[in-house]
Amino acid sequence: PLPHVPARSQSEVEATLQRINGHKGVLGTIIINEDGQAIRTTAEASVTQQYAELIPQLASMARSLVRDLDPQNDLQFLRIRSKMHEIMIHADKDFTLIVIQDPQAEGAA
């Protein structure tokens, strides 16, 4: 169960995660709470730890950049593509959702 999420929303979160993980090329999903702790993951422990440590820092820098460009704006989604992976990040005030995907997989977003 996810803390601070009503039971009805829990099933919606579960359904959304199942849908995301069902996409071709998805290697893992990680949900990190506001304290930087992984509260849900489908990735290996070492990958989860590394992403949980580094991604919130990156999202914070990106959020600062967006706000510096326009103080009325805010970061909602960040997408990074490298040779090996595509990392999609949704940074919320309460949690960060990270989706790691193989960009070479057929049908990958």
Side-chain angles (χ1 to χ4, degrees):
L2 298 171
H4 310 298
V5 178
R8 180 172 168 262
S9 296
Q10 287 277 349
S11 61
E12 292 172 12
V13 169
E14 292 297 326
T16 300
L17 288 174
Q18 283 182 350
R19 185 172 44 80
I20 291 169
N21 284 312
H23 284 273
K24 285 185 181 177
V26 172
L27 303 174
T29 55
I30 304 167
I31 299 177
I32 303 167
N33 67 13
E34 65 273 10
D35 298 323
Q37 301 296 314
I39 54 175
R40 279 294 302 277
T41 184
T42 61
E44 294 178 13
S46 61
V47 171
T48 298
Q49 181 180 357
Q50 189 174 32
Y51 278 69
E53 184 178 318
L54 297 174
I55 294 295
Q57 295 173 37
L58 177 63
S60 178
M61 286 189 283
R63 173 172 275 128
S64 292
L65 175 110
V66 168
R67 287 184 177 164
D68 286 349
L69 292 172
D70 179 359
Q72 302 298 316
N73 208 349
D74 197 8
L75 179 73
Q76 293 184 338
F77 193 81
L78 182 61
R79 189 175 194 156
I80 303 161
R81 188 171 184 153
S82 68
K83 289 180 183 178
M84 295 182 62
H85 297 112
E86 185 169 41
I87 305 163
M88 293 166 282
I89 305 156
H90 170 74
D92 191 81
K93 66 182 178 74
D94 297 324
F95 70 93
T96 300
L97 170 64
I98 303 166
V99 178
I100 306 161
Q101 186 168 285
D102 177 357
Q104 304 303 318
E106 211 172 296

